Amino acid sequence: MPVFNNYCNGKWTGSESGETFEVRNPADPDDVIGEFPSSTADDTRDAVDAAVAAQAAWEDTPAPDRGAILRRAASRLESRSDEVAELLAREEGKALPEATGEVGRAVGILYYFAEKALDLGGEVKASSSQDTRLETKTEPLGTVGLITPWNYPIAIPTWKLAPALVTGNTVVLKPASRAPAVAHEVAKCLDEAGLPDGVLNVITGSGSEVGGTLTTHDDIDAISFTGSTVVGQQVGETAAADGKRIQLEMGGKNPTVVMPSADVSTAAEIVSDGAFGGTGQACTAASRAIVHEDVYDEFVDELVAAAEDISIGPALDVYDMGPHVSKSELEGTLDYVDVGVSEGATLETGGSVPEAPRHESGYFVEPTVFSDVSSEMRIAQEEIFGPVVGVIPASSYEEAVTLANDTKYGLSASIVTQDLSEAHQFADDVEAGVVKVNEKTTGLELHVPFGGMKSSSSETWREQGDAGLDFFTTSKTVYLNY
């Protein structure tokens, strides 16, 4: 069995406890990906100490030199992309083409922030005094804790790591216990690229032991968290009470609005891709289709056909949709199917475990479509995190927007329309941090801000692009009278 260790102060070591946990392939639970340390609070404190000790020298390293390390790491990851994608597909269950795309995304993020290193430093401003030079100086926060989820186990750690490192921070990363192996691959690439000891530390283990220690440690200056709303709010409250800077990206209940001017077949394809890609295990997944009554019946038929056309199977066999990441996630989705039926929604297709021989041992579920859904139903309000979409009728644009906003979440939203006025109006009216027109709710460009509203986010600092750099830095204003 492969054994994975923590990466602490430039060395690969186990936990002081000697205890481990296994990660298994959700398509075939007999396939053990590896054994990982069940790290303790003391292990985590050791990692923080290493990061603090390394911070001053890393901050003093010229930003272009920091960027060069990221560039070399990107090249190494790119050269291994096929094997890393296979590892990702095995440990998380994501279909191989999706896993390959995610690894490519991580490579792109490293290259992007490597180039951004050339622009770091500050700005010179005009002073109202004749003999004064007025400038800003950008500095890192210090040592930061990153807590990342299992559903994008290489992209999300990388889009937090890259801006944190390139701006001169040192890092302790806690990857999700369900899919930690690919985060280790990023650490290996950075280590081989020449990252100094202690600058990055990767610690696996429980949220209470590792995450809790990071959140409360006096020497952690900021926490960036992506995960569930319940856990994120707890992390945010604890970290903020200690005066830490916080960045929280959490759940979603994302709508796609379909208007009468839309091509219905195209609209169904957009919703299908957004709802069922990644087995629906995305915070930006489309879980509500709000459809104008003039095209409602046609849309339901098209969406059902699209769902039933999706092939389901083990990720490495290149099916369209893989399994849930765990038995508990599968059971949660099946429970919500029962909830939808009990609430009176019409189960149009799916909602069961498929019965082919290839599905016997894994955590597979069929893509699921409900019609006759109303906004007060639990399946229209609660995040399911599975391949389930509810279709809600609307009689007008105004009602559709009201329904789209009728949830505590506000992460991603889209509209399918050929009416330019509706498209612009929707961007103004919808309560979401990401708004798309004639596109699925999932999928993000790496160089623009990402984040949500309401319970989807702390609404403090955005991720990615220049916004990602802003979170990990602070600035001084310098008045130089010559």
Side-chain angles (χ1 to χ4, degrees):
M1 177 192 306
V3 176
F4 293 79
N5 287 313
N6 290 329
Y7 180 65
C8 183
N9 203 21
K11 298 179 177 61
W12 295 95
T13 61
S15 168
E16 64 162 16
S17 70
E19 297 180 2
T20 61
F21 63 92
E22 291 180 349
V23 173
R24 294 173 178 264
N25 183 343
D28 178 12
D30 290 334
D31 176 22
V32 180
I33 307 303
E35 190 176 79
F36 296 81
S38 293
S39 302
T40 65
D42 284 342
D43 294 323
T44 310
R45 284 189 281 267
D46 288 345
V48 175
D49 290 345
V52 171
Q55 201 278 319
W58 182 239
E59 180 179 353
D60 287 343
T61 301
D65 290 349
R66 297 195 295 259
I69 292 174
L70 263 65
R71 191 177 301 109
R72 292 195 295 270
S75 178
R76 281 164 169 77
L77 183 59
E78 189 172 27
S79 70
R80 303 175 190 170
S81 58
D82 289 345
E83 64 184 87
V84 176
E86 288 189 6
L87 177 62
L88 194 163
R90 283 180 62 218
E91 73 166 345
E92 198 270 347
K94 189 168 294 185
L96 186 57
E98 294 175 331
T100 300
E102 185 178 341
V103 175
R105 174 62 176 269
V107 170
I109 290 166
L110 289 168
Y111 276 130
Y112 171 79
F113 282 107
E115 298 310 312
K116 294 298 288 184
L118 301 175
D119 294 329
L120 299 176
E123 297 178 329
V124 176
K125 299 289 187 179
S127 173
S128 58
S129 299
Q130 184 174 0
D131 297 325
T132 298
R133 179 182 174 89
L134 189 60
E135 63 185 23
T136 64
K137 184 176 184 294
T138 301
E139 296 184 345
L141 296 179
T143 298
V144 299
L146 310 180
I147 303 173
T148 59
W150 50 261
N151 59 329
Y152 287 92
I154 194 167
I156 293 179
T158 305
W159 84 43
K160 294 178 188 293
L161 273 175
L165 293 175
V166 83
T167 50
N169 297 277
T170 54
V171 173
V172 180
L173 166 66
K174 181 210 170 306
S177 295
R178 285 177 177 164
V182 287
H184 285 70
E185 295 300 318
V186 176
K188 288 178 185 176
C189 290
L190 286 162
D191 181 71
E192 293 167 6
L195 193 71
D197 294 350
V199 172
L200 169 62
N201 306 272
V202 181
I203 307 294
T204 59
S206 70
S208 58
E209 284 288 312
V210 180
T213 303
L214 285 178
T215 304
T216 58
H217 199 295
D218 288 342
D219 289 332
I220 292 291
D221 298 296
I223 291 286
S224 179
F225 169 92
T226 299
S228 73
T229 298
V230 171
V231 176
Q233 289 173 341
Q234 294 171 348
V235 168
E237 289 171 6
T238 303
D242 287 344
K244 294 174 172 53
R245 184 177 289 190
I246 58 170
Q247 180 184 64
L248 308 175
E249 292 306 330
M250 300 175 285
K253 194 65 184 173
N254 310 294
T256 295
V257 170
V258 180
M259 297 305 294
S261 63
D263 178 86
V264 175
S265 178
T266 299
E269 181 180 350
I270 288 171
V271 171
S272 176
D273 289 347
F276 306 134
T279 319
Q281 298 174 133
C283 56
T284 54
S287 58
R288 296 180 296 152
I290 300 168
V291 182
H292 195 281
E293 59 190 16
D294 288 355
V295 293
Y296 186 88
D297 291 340
E298 182 184 358
F299 175 85
V300 170
D301 290 343
E302 292 279 358
L303 183 59
V304 168
E308 292 178 347
D309 193 45
I310 292 173
S311 62
I312 309 165
L316 295 180
D317 294 338
V318 199
Y319 288 93
D320 297 328
M321 193 177 88
H324 268 299
V325 74
S326 68
K327 183 179 180 181
S328 62
E329 291 292 331
L330 170 62
E331 290 172 344
T333 292
L334 295 175
D335 285 346
Y336 270 111
V337 172
D338 292 341
V339 166
V341 172
S342 69
E343 288 181 320
T346 300
L347 179 60
E348 295 283 351
T349 190
S352 300
V353 174
E355 297 181 353
R358 65 179 181 273
H359 305 132
E360 289 178 356
S361 62
Y363 309 126
F364 297 96
V365 67
E366 298 166 334
T368 303
V369 177
F370 280 102
S371 64
D372 304 317
V373 176
S374 57
S375 192
E376 70 275 5
M377 291 180 178
R378 286 179 59 194
I379 61 169
Q381 291 293 326
E382 299 176 12
E383 186 176 38
I384 298 173
F385 225 64
V388 179
V389 60
V391 188
I392 305 171
S395 60
S396 65
Y397 167 82
E398 290 74 19
E399 184 184 11
V401 171
T402 298
L403 291 168
N405 292 336
D406 184 26
T407 173
K408 68 179 182 179
Y409 297 106
L411 185 53
S412 183
S414 69
I415 187 170
V416 188
T417 179
Q418 296 301 310
D419 186 321
L420 190 59
S421 295
E422 283 178 348
H424 284 292
Q425 192 67 48
F426 184 75
D428 290 341
D429 293 341
V430 74
E431 296 168 353
V434 176
V435 184
K436 296 188 172 186
V437 178
N438 298 327
E439 290 190 16
K440 61 184 179 179
T441 54
T442 53
L444 303 167
E445 297 273 0
L446 60 84
H447 61 293
V448 289
F450 168 67
M453 298 178 175
K454 301 191 285 189
S455 292
S456 291
S457 173
S458 56
E459 298 192 50
T460 47
W461 304 83
R462 294 304 196 213
E463 296 193 279
Q464 302 195 131
D466 289 337
L469 297 169
D470 290 343
F471 173 73
F472 291 109
T473 57
T474 188
S475 65
K476 292 177 179 175
T477 302
V478 180
Y479 295 76
L480 175 61
N481 189 307
Y482 53 85

